[in-house]
């Protein structure tokens, strides 16, 4: 097990703090770290893709789980996989796809660990039909504050607290996941332009169960009648019989994504308003009004940014902030107001994505709830941003919505209880299971979780 | 914890009645600050300052602290950190002295030096150690433009700030990568109690403007902040003026 003192941040590179980082290679080593923790506690960390401070622990210990990365077994008949928490979803996909299995839920990057996907209870573009990650976790092994390992099953309180629990109930060591069958590694993709926000909402709302994956890119710099215009992308898995005979033999090959398009290589947040607006214009106009049945490889469809070089993440010295919120159906007016506020202020937002959520899952602090969700990034150095986001928080909370904690780095603690009604249960369970507060993170300190 | 914009939730002001310190505290309470500790020499003014910040909704307590009593710093300041994390320490105490009298009375000059420099060294080191142990936090040090170049009118004060400035810069480098951020703030002439009755220098500013610059500096994680910003250029030019010429400049 390697140990070092490091300064850590989330993917947004804001608020660096120092911690003792342990990289266990066995479950026993991980348990030893939890038992021997110092007064400032410990938290698990995967690939550090959470944007905010969820996976850091100032002055305490951080368990880097990425060396616990064995795929233990695949049941190719029942469609389940047992793997360590440090395995990345990308590696799981590369292993499972040739066997005809696919992860039922995958976020917009493959570089997240199974532990991180559980800790944040991640969602994909198919939340409406597939739910969040929690729905597909059959069981997990959780290392708790007493240094013991518990098997946690769906339907229990500990499961509810752990899925989306941001590593605060313990360290997930391994998990059994249910899979979905696929017959090819191709997607059939439709794109359609929408002239304004209502157009985008209508197109997303029109997606039936036949097109499980749907999301829209929104141009947050377009003003006037074009406010909220965007491009809606929908996808479905291509069935084997849709392929020409010669392609069927290699139908399931996993090929990493192609070199990303020039646009993806441009670090949008580093550009000023005018170039971003120009890029958005090109992107919008460059999309045909409607295009159907474009074949795309799975990595290109699901993780388009993963092959972009690392520097495209750095958004200047101050880093970047991600904001993702959800509001229920019927709260479209709030969505409109928020989009208007962003466009009026000419915020150079990047990666603005609008999706629809389906039913909530079992996770007590899980983010997805039925309705709409909008996410975007902004350079943290943008003057006035702190106040603007505070205003958005109020709007979201007033509409009965919530912001995503895995992305958060700045929420006012006072709003948490309104956004997450099951917070008292979460706190009570933690108080019982972990009275000394062994599991702590910068996020848990900041939000008094 | 500080948020993504560097706004602290808990604040310790060393020099609890400092006008710049209190202007900064007010700004930060309007953002995320909930806990404030005002460390200073016990006085009605200190209690009034605490009461005023409490009105704004913060949990405020005063802590007896004397910059000149370096031997007590470890205990007095160390205790504050045992009660909970401090996200930001603002080192705001300082005295301007009276140049003419200080030249006459070396012991009073030494008090200026001891307050602004050695007092800051011991208090700064104690806080830096505590911040390092908690793995995060900002130490904001109020230096002064006067420390950049010796001036006839205030070189005793200036030299103490020069010492403090170099100390804080070095501390910032030493703490790089430890999660602790040290920010050196160099205001020019600030219209506060400290300068009351003195002739204003060019580019004079206000405690509120210094506070704003501190908030912006926290967001940017700046290492050096000049207030007003134009001083950066002015002072870097002045630094290179030959001494015979500088002596004749009217910049006091
Ligand atoms: C480009 C990009 C796109 C993204 N797209 C999406 C998306 O579409 N949908 C979505 O939901 N999210 C998305 N995210 C967020 C990301 O999926 C989550 O933050 C995820 O948790 C990151 O996983 P990680 O392995 O990097 O975990 P980290 O960031 O290291 O940790 C995240 C949280 O999980 C906890 N954790 C990690 N490992 C364990 C473990 N073994 N046991 C217990 N707790 C653990 C940590 O304590 C922390 O609270 C995206 C992020 C990026 C950078
Ligand atoms: N004003 C300017 O023009 C200017 C310009 C550049 C830099 N600065 C620096 O900015 C800082 C704050 O200045 P300000 O304008 O806010 O002045 P201020 O209102 O006079 O504040 C000075 C503070 O220092 C405290 N202090 C002095 N001696 C002390 C001691 N021995 N122990 C503990 N505290 C002591 C004072 O406390 P008491 O109430 O107990 O006296 C007061 O709180 C100072 O370091 C100053 O040098 C000021």
């Amino acid at each position: 097990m390697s140990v070092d003192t490091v300064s850590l941040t989330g993917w947004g590179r804001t608020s660096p703090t120092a911690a003792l980082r342990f990289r266990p290679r066995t479950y026993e080593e991980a348990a030893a770290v939890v038992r021997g923790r110092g007064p400032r506690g410990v938290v698990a960390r995967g690939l550090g893709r959470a944007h905010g401070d969820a996976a850091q622990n100032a002055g305490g210990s951080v368990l880097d789980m990425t060396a616990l990365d064995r795929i233990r077994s695949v049941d190719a008949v029942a469609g389940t996989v047992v793997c360590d928490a440090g395995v990345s979803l990308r590696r799981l996909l590369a292993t499972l796809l040739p066997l005809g299995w696919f992860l039922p839920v995958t976020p917009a990057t493959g570089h997240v660990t199974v532990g991180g996907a559980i800790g944040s209870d991640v969602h994909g573009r198919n939340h409406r039909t597939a739910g969040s990650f929690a729905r597909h976790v059959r069981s997990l092994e959780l290392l708790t504050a007493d240094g013991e390992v518990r098997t946690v099953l769906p339907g229990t309180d500990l499961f509810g607290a752990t899925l989306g629990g941001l590593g605060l109930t313990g360290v997930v060591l391994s998990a059994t996941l249910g899979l979905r069958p696929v017959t090819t590694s191709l997607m059939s993709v439709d794109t359609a332009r929408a002239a304004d926000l209502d157009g985008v909402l209508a197109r997303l709302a029109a997606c039936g169960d036949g097109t499980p994956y749907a999301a829209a890119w929104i141009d947050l710099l377009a003003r006037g009648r074009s406010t909220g215009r965007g491009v809606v992308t929908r996808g479905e898995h291509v069935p084997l019989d849709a392929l020409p005979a010669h392609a069927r033999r290699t139908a399931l090959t996993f090929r990493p994504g192609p070199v990303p398009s020039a646009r993806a290589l441009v670090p949008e947040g580093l550009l000023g308003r005018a170039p971003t607006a120009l890029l958005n214009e090109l992107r919008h106009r460059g999309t045909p009004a409607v295009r159907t049945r474009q074949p795309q490889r799975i990595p290109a469809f699901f993780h388009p940014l993963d092959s972009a070089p690392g520097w495209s993440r750095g958004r200047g010295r101050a880093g970047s902030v991600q904001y993702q919120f959800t509001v229920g159906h019927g709260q479209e007016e709030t969505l409109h107001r928020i989009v208007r506020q962003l466009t009026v202020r000419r915020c150079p937002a990047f990666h603005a994505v609008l999706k629809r959520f389906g039913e909530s899952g079992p996770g007590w602090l899980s983010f997805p709830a039925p309705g709409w969700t909008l996410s975007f990034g902004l350079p943290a150095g943008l003057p006035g941003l702190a106040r603007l986001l505070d205003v958005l928080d109020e709007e979201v909370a007033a509409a009965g919505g919530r912001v995503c904690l895995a992305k958060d780095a700045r929420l006012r603690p006072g709003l948490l209880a309104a956004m997450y009604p099951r917070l008292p249960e979460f706190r009570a369970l933690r108080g019982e299971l972990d009275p000394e507060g062994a599991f702590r993170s910068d996020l848990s300190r900041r939000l008094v979780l | 914890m500080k948020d993504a914009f560097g706004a602290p939730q808990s604040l310790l002001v060393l020099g609890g009645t400092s006008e710049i310190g209190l202007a900064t505290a007010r700004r930060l309470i309007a953002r995320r600050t909930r806990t404030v500790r005002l460390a200073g020499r016990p006085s009605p003014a200190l209690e009034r300052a605490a009461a005023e910040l409490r009105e704004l909704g913060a949990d405020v307590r005063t802590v007896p602290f004397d910059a000149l009593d370096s031997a007590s710093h470890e205990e007095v300041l160390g205790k504050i950190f045992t009660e909970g994390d401090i996200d930001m320490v603002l080192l705001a105490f300082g005295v301007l002295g009276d140049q003419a009298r200080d030249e006459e009375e070396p012991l009073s000059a030494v008090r200026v030096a001891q307050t602004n420099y050695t007092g800051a060294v011991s208090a700064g080191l104690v806080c830096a150690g505590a911040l390092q142990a908690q793995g995060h936090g900002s130490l904001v040090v109020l230096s002064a433009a006067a420390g950049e170049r010796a001036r006839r009118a205030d070189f005793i004060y200036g030299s103490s700030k020069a010492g403090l400035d170099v100390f804080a810069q070095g501390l910032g480098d030493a703490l790089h990568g430890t999660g602790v951020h040290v920010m050196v703030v160099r205001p020019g002439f600030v219209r506060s109690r400290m300068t009351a009755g003195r002739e204003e220098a060019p580019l004079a500013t206000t405690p509120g403007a210094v506070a704003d610059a501190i908030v912006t500096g926290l967001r940017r994680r700046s290492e050096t902040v000049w207030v007003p910003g134009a001083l950066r250029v002015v002072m870097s030019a002045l630094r290179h003026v030959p001494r015979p010429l500088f002596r004749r400049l009217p910049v006091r």
Side-chain angles (χ1 to χ4, degrees):
Chain A
M1 178 166 58
S2 65
V3 189
D4 55 357
T5 303
V6 281
S7 168
L8 295 170
T9 67
W11 197 242
R13 291 193 174 159
T14 55
S15 325
T17 65
L20 208 53
R21 174 173 62 186
F22 296 85
R23 197 156 181 269
R25 301 196 158 273
T26 62
Y27 297 167
E28 291 70 32
E29 285 180 348
V33 175
V34 169
R35 277 196 220 98
R37 68 186 174 265
R40 293 183 69 89
V42 52
V43 77
R45 181 178 175 99
L47 283 163
R49 253 53 174 196
H51 277 88
D53 48 8
Q56 50 196 83
N57 180 21
S61 309
V62 167
L63 265 178
D64 176 341
M65 298 297 287
T66 54
L68 281 166
D69 62 350
R70 277 151 301 184
I71 299 177
R72 298 192 164 255
S73 64
V74 181
D75 183 336
V77 178
T80 56
V81 59
V82 184
C83 65
D84 285 352
V87 177
S88 78
L89 296 193
R90 187 182 170 79
R91 234 190 87 215
L92 266 187
L93 279 184
T95 309
L96 295 172
L97 210 46
L99 302 174
W101 294 101
F102 189 65
L103 288 171
V105 169
T106 157
T109 169
H111 297 296
V112 308
T113 62
V114 168
I118 290 172
S120 303
D121 190 15
V122 297
H123 59 270
R125 282 186 265 179
N126 57 344
H127 187 274
R128 215 166 23 89
T129 52
S132 58
F133 206 76
R135 194 185 285 182
H136 311 282
V137 175
R138 301 282 166 82
S139 82
L140 59 88
E141 300 290 308
L142 187 71
L143 170 62
T144 46
D146 49 16
E148 300 299 315
V149 178
R150 300 169 195 226
T151 302
V152 184
L153 296 174
T156 60
D157 279 356
L158 192 49
F159 191 86
T162 301
L163 274 290
L166 300 162
L168 298 173
T169 57
V171 181
V172 177
L173 296 175
S174 69
T176 306
L177 309 174
L179 305 170
R180 66 163 289 170
V182 287
T183 48
T184 73
S185 60
L186 284 177
M187 303 296 294
S188 163
V189 182
D190 298 353
T191 42
R193 222 155 61 180
D196 59 13
L197 187 56
D198 277 327
V200 173
L201 294 179
R203 283 183 186 278
L204 282 175
C207 293
D209 291 352
T211 41
Y213 302 95
W217 164 74
I218 306 281
D219 178 359
L220 285 174
L221 279 168
R223 284 183 289 183
R225 275 190 302 149
S226 307
T227 301
R229 72 176 175 183
V231 175
V232 179
T233 305
R234 303 180 303 168
E236 55 186 302
H237 292 275
V238 172
L240 190 62
D241 54 19
L243 292 188
H246 68 270
R248 289 188 194 169
R249 268 183 304 124
T250 55
L252 284 168
T253 340
F254 175 86
R255 293 209 188 89
V259 176
S261 68
R263 189 185 43 74
L265 291 179
V266 179
E268 294 172 67
L270 280 184
L271 299 175
R273 268 170 204 126
T276 309
L278 181 66
L279 272 181
N280 285 359
E281 187 68 39
L282 290 176
R283 180 170 187 182
H284 197 258
R285 296 232 181 145
T287 311
V290 178
R291 185 171 54 188
T292 52
R293 312 235 154 261
Q294 284 283 313
Q296 236 178 48
R297 302 230 154 251
I298 275 182
F301 178 76
F302 287 96
H303 310 136
L305 293 178
D306 278 3
S307 22
W311 51 256
S312 71
R313 86 186 242 212
R315 313 272 166 199
R317 203 155 73 108
S320 73
V321 171
Q322 277 278 320
Y323 192 76
Q324 181 168 15
F325 68 92
T326 174
V327 290
H329 291 295
Q331 299 291 343
E332 287 75 10
E333 197 34 54
T334 306
L335 197 55
H336 273 282
R337 256 202 316 277
I338 289 178
V339 169
R340 267 201 306 274
Q341 290 187 53
L342 291 165
T343 51
V344 165
R345 306 262 314 229
R346 307 286 289 150
C347 290
F350 45 87
H351 304 321
V353 175
L354 183 68
K355 290 182 289 226
R356 245 172 102 203
F357 277 155
E359 288 311 305
S360 306
W364 293 354
L365 294 190
S366 288
F367 167 63
W372 302 100
T373 180
L374 177 65
S375 65
F376 52 85
L378 284 167
L382 202 66
L385 182 59
R387 269 174 223 282
L388 173 66
L389 295 182
D390 282 353
V391 171
L392 300 194
D393 287 343
E394 301 284 347
E395 293 245 6
V396 168
R402 55 175 66 147
V403 302
C404 178
L405 297 181
K407 311 253 163 108
D408 179 60
R410 31 82 32 212
L411 182 66
R412 193 184 283 280
L415 280 175
L416 196 64
M419 293 183 172
Y420 288 90
R422 302 196 72 172
L423 187 62
E425 285 163 84
F426 183 78
R427 287 196 175 126
L429 182 134
R430 265 187 88 209
E432 214 170 284
L433 189 71
D434 179 9
E436 289 169 22
F439 295 106
R440 282 188 224 184
S441 63
D442 288 358
L443 181 139
S444 80
R445 278 192 202 95
R446 181 170 56 81
L447 293 177
V448 204
L449 263 174
Chain B
M1 300 302 305
K2 281 183 294 177
D3 70 5
F5 306 111
Q9 294 179 309
S10 51
L11 169 70
L12 167 61
V13 184
L14 303 181
T17 59
S18 145
E19 279 189 49
I20 297 175
L22 292 172
T24 308
R26 282 192 287 271
R27 298 262 188 308
L28 293 174
I29 291 170
R31 304 273 333 128
R32 289 287 186 270
T33 303
R34 284 289 149 266
T35 315
V36 181
R37 299 289 171 256
L38 296 180
R41 294 178 291 195
S43 70
L46 187 63
E47 293 310 321
R48 270 198 308 279
E52 190 221 324
L53 297 183
R54 246 173 240 132
E55 296 263 293
L56 302 176
D59 159 28
V60 188
R61 265 195 276 150
T62 58
V63 182
F65 163 78
D66 185 348
L68 287 168
D69 185 7
S70 284
S72 70
H73 290 178
E74 184 115 47
E75 193 196 327
V76 170
L77 300 178
K79 184 156 174 293
I80 299 175
F81 284 87
T82 59
E83 290 159 6
D85 283 14
I86 297 289
D87 302 340
M88 167 172 163
V89 179
L90 178 60
L91 206 150
F93 60 81
V95 288
L96 192 50
D98 175 337
Q99 178 73 23
R101 192 197 62 207
D102 293 347
E103 284 177 31
E104 297 287 314
E105 301 170 18
L107 280 183
S108 86
V110 164
R111 276 174 72 86
V112 174
Q114 283 180 337
T115 308
N116 295 350
Y117 181 59
T118 49
V121 167
S122 60
L125 285 174
V126 171
C127 292
L131 293 175
Q132 203 182 341
Q134 68 183 24
H136 72 105
S138 287
L139 175 61
V140 179
V141 177
L142 286 177
S143 173
E148 186 74 6
R149 176 117 204 209
R151 295 183 294 187
R152 174 67 192 92
D154 64 1
F155 66 83
I156 293 176
Y157 171 75
S159 63
S160 70
K161 287 294 188 183
L164 168 64
D165 198 289
V166 172
F167 167 74
Q169 289 179 49
L171 192 60
D173 290 338
L175 292 175
H176 188 81
T178 63
V180 182
H181 159 230
V182 179
M183 183 162 93
V184 179
V185 183
R186 297 183 189 140
F189 185 101
V190 184
R191 295 182 202 105
S192 76
R193 198 165 42 133
M194 182 176 270
T195 54
R198 289 175 193 254
E199 198 190 321
E200 263 188 31
L203 293 175
T205 185
T206 60
V210 180
D212 286 335
I214 289 175
V215 172
T216 307
L218 287 170
R219 186 179 75 221
R220 297 191 183 147
R221 263 183 272 152
S222 309
E223 294 181 320
T224 317
V225 173
W226 292 87
V227 202
L231 266 186
R232 180 186 294 272
V233 186
V234 173
M235 292 312 291
S236 85
L238 278 183
R239 188 167 38 215
H240 300 291
V241 175
R243 282 175 64 184
L245 182 58
F246 188 76
R247 276 195 286 272
R248 274 186 270 149
L249 286 184
V251 280
R252 301 184 312 131

